[in-house]
Amino acid sequence: MRVLITGFPQPTHIYPLVPYAQALQNAGHEVCVACPGGVEDLITSAGLTAVTTGRAEEVDVDTWAAMEAPDLDEMDRLAEELGFHNAADRDHWEVFYQFFVFATRFYIPRKPRKDIEELVDFARAWKPDLVLWESWFPAGAVAARACGAAHARVVIGPDYGMWSAERFAERQRRAGAASLENPYPSTVARLANRYGFDVDDELLNGQRTIDPLTPELRLTTGPSDIPVRWIPYNGGMAKPSWLHGRPERPRLAFTVGVSTRAFDQGEWRTPKIFEAVSGLDVEVVATLNSDQLVGIDRIPGNVRTVDYLPLSQLLPTCSAVISHGSSGSLWASIAANIPQLITDTGDRHRLDLDNAENKTTAARAQADNAEEKVTERAPDSWISSKFVVDRGAGLRLDHQTQSVEEMRAQIAEVLDGPSYREGAAALHREWLSKPSPADIVPDLEKLAAER
């Protein structure tokens, strides 16, 4: 069969799709990964066929603002209307509204985008039997319906789309009427309506959902549709010689993802973490580029900085990891069977797109108005840190409230404590018990055949 795979064109969204594409290709199916321009090298380097729709464009702050930057007053008003008074619901809502809906609107704005039109045109011309679309990129579902293909949604993190549907439905039951509009379906409708069909649950949630998450991370109450094992993929490179053998002392990985590379100079967690690890008898490998190291006066002697290194190469050589708690880092660490320290703060999730460009860590720290600061909290950090702590597989680090000595003590505790290794091993066994991407290929073949 022919399989079209598509997603939001950023490494953190495309990389999780690669194992499914490779599994289908290895099973003898014809696979194309098609999405707006800019990530074709990531796709082809994985041995896959890339189809580029549109071209990569530089997006400045003014362009972001024009693409319906989140209205924080409206976000707060809707939160009150929905009854989001506890911290958990409020955190989920702010990530949903500012990140998930904004990402959806980025590729489904009020004025149609040529690259999305070209994606639908390609689907209609190539006529796939099956479309797999990443959960932050519902344009893929529209392309599937426009060409008549079966389609499945691939969840790559907390399921904010389904979570919002459940919360708005709950509010409707309480109020007895649909008095509030969920911004996610109405955004997808802009594109669906252009091709002559309405938005329904199947379009928003897929005919099936490929779901690698545990119940704690999923956020939704329903059962997992097609459970699967998250296979970490971070790209490839030649393994450096210093990774060939075992380290002479415990090795600690430090990774904070790609977001601060893209939008900031300086990295707010790093100064304190460097101070904390400098007093430990460990070898630290920090995957930080030059922009993330802006403002760092001294790199401790036991810290090696590398611009890029696949976590699938680094983590198996480590005794523990410090990360920002993204799904990619979380599952790569679980796959490597190591304890985790996840950085998280009590910050609210507040974006400041108008003032985000060129804001250094120092500038943020000196801001007089806290509402104008770019948040020092990663979107999923609190979910991941709670999960790891509750499962006994690690601890939470808060650079805002903890002293260097407190952070150092927690890092040492995780490195030395057998209970954290046991907790990590339990998560690893649970991860191994799930079917691999190759194991679910028959489910996907059946879906295509039925449709």
Side-chain angles (χ1 to χ4, degrees):
M1 65 180 177
R2 282 185 166 180
V3 184
L4 169 63
I5 298 178
T6 188
F8 197 92
Q10 292 292 329
T12 51
H13 293 254
I14 295 298
Y15 281 160
L17 303 178
V18 167
Y20 305 114
Q22 291 175 332
L24 286 158
Q25 185 169 273
N26 291 342
H29 299 296
E30 186 180 356
V31 178
C32 278
V33 183
C35 57
V39 291
E40 49 271 19
D41 288 348
L42 303 181
I43 297 164
T44 57
S45 64
L48 300 167
T49 298
V51 173
T52 299
T53 65
R55 62 185 180 87
E57 296 180 0
E58 291 294 326
V59 180
D60 59 21
V61 172
D62 291 336
T63 306
W64 279 63
M67 291 178 135
E68 299 175 85
D71 182 334
L72 300 189
D73 291 334
E74 177 70 2
M75 179 181 73
D76 291 339
R77 184 189 70 79
L78 286 172
E80 288 299 314
E81 289 278 348
L82 288 161
F84 292 157
H85 302 304
N86 67 64
D89 275 342
R90 189 60 187 244
D91 270 323
H92 294 326
W93 171 251
E94 293 191 354
V95 174
F96 164 77
Y97 189 90
Q98 294 179 105
F99 293 87
F100 183 81
V101 172
F102 184 50
T104 304
R105 287 174 173 170
F106 191 87
Y107 280 100
I108 310 181
R110 296 188 187 281
K111 181 180 178 181
R113 287 180 61 125
K114 184 172 177 55
D115 48 8
I116 300 302
E117 291 178 335
E118 289 183 11
L119 174 66
V120 177
D121 290 344
F122 171 73
R124 285 175 155 176
W126 195 56
K127 297 185 178 1
D129 303 290
L130 174 68
V131 175
L132 303 186
W133 54 278
E134 179 256 313
S135 53
W136 287 59
F137 194 71
V142 176
R145 184 167 289 184
C147 72
H151 64 99
R153 186 174 61 121
V154 182
V155 174
I156 66 161
D159 193 350
Y160 293 108
M162 184 68 81
W163 175 85
S164 71
E166 290 183 356
R167 292 300 180 273
F168 274 87
E170 179 183 320
R171 201 272 182 187
Q172 181 179 347
R173 286 193 297 271
R174 291 199 312 267
S179 56
L180 289 178
E181 182 181 62
N182 184 338
Y184 176 49
S186 60
T187 298
V188 178
R190 300 172 183 174
L191 186 62
N193 295 165
R194 290 193 64 242
Y195 291 97
F197 49 85
D198 295 327
V199 169
D200 54 27
D201 288 344
E202 187 179 271
L203 191 71
L204 295 172
N205 304 319
Q207 293 165 341
R208 301 290 300 274
T209 294
I210 299 170
D211 188 354
L213 305 183
T214 65
E216 303 100 310
L217 298 171
R218 191 178 300 123
L219 306 186
T220 60
T221 56
S224 183
D225 194 3
I226 302 179
V228 69
R229 189 186 317 154
W230 182 301
I231 302 299
Y233 177 82
N234 321 110
M237 63 175 283
K239 180 178 288 211
S241 59
W242 54 270
L243 278 181
H244 291 181
R246 293 182 178 276
E248 295 181 358
R249 52 183 173 166
R251 179 174 287 156
L252 180 66
F254 175 42
T255 177
V256 289
V258 299
S259 294
T260 53
R261 293 176 179 235
F263 302 114
D264 283 320
Q265 286 193 328
E267 206 296 309
W268 53 83
R269 294 154 284 210
T270 299
K272 233 176 184 180
I273 287 174
F274 274 9
E275 280 191 73
V277 299
S278 67
L280 296 172
D281 185 24
V282 294
E283 173 195 344
V284 179
V285 179
T287 58
L288 302 170
N289 70 1
S290 57
D291 280 344
Q292 291 170 310
L293 290 170
V294 167
I296 302 294
D297 297 325
R298 185 184 71 86
I299 297 175
N302 63 340
V303 173
R304 180 198 297 263
T305 62
V306 292
D307 183 277
Y308 173 74
L309 190 61
L311 293 181
S312 55
Q313 291 186 18
L314 172 61
L315 294 184
T317 73
C318 294
S319 299
V321 58
I322 301 173
S323 84
H324 60 308
S326 73
S327 293
S329 300
L330 176 75
W331 287 103
S333 304
I334 290 172
N337 195 13
I338 57 174
Q340 305 183 49
L341 294 124
I342 294 180
T343 61
D344 182 42
T345 75
D347 258 1
R348 294 282 296 281
H349 290 104
R350 292 297 217 186
L351 286 179
D352 177 24
L353 296 175
D354 292 332
N355 297 303
E357 189 176 33
N358 297 324
K359 274 211 168 185
T360 65
T361 300
R364 276 196 302 270
Q366 293 169 5
D368 293 329
N369 185 347
E371 290 296 320
E372 293 181 357
K373 290 167 60 180
V374 178
T375 184
E376 293 188 358
R377 190 181 205 186
D380 299 330
S381 61
W382 80 271
I383 302 172
S384 298
S385 62
K386 184 177 187 304
F387 172 67
V388 166
V389 171
D390 288 350
R391 292 296 193 95
L395 292 174
R396 174 180 180 267
L397 293 178
D398 186 343
H399 71 282
Q400 288 185 343
T401 63
Q402 292 176 323
S403 67
V404 168
E405 291 73 21
E406 289 171 327
M407 294 174 70
R408 181 181 298 136
Q410 287 199 289
I411 296 169
E413 182 181 342
V414 168
L415 284 167
D416 297 336
S419 67
Y420 299 107
R421 291 192 292 273
E422 292 166 4
L427 284 181
H428 183 73
R429 288 192 297 270
E430 184 178 319
W431 172 78
L432 282 175
S433 70
K434 291 186 175 182
S436 72
D439 293 330
I440 68 168
V441 167
D443 292 308
L444 301 177
E445 292 169 338
K446 182 180 178 182
L447 172 62
E450 289 173 345
R451 300 286 173 168

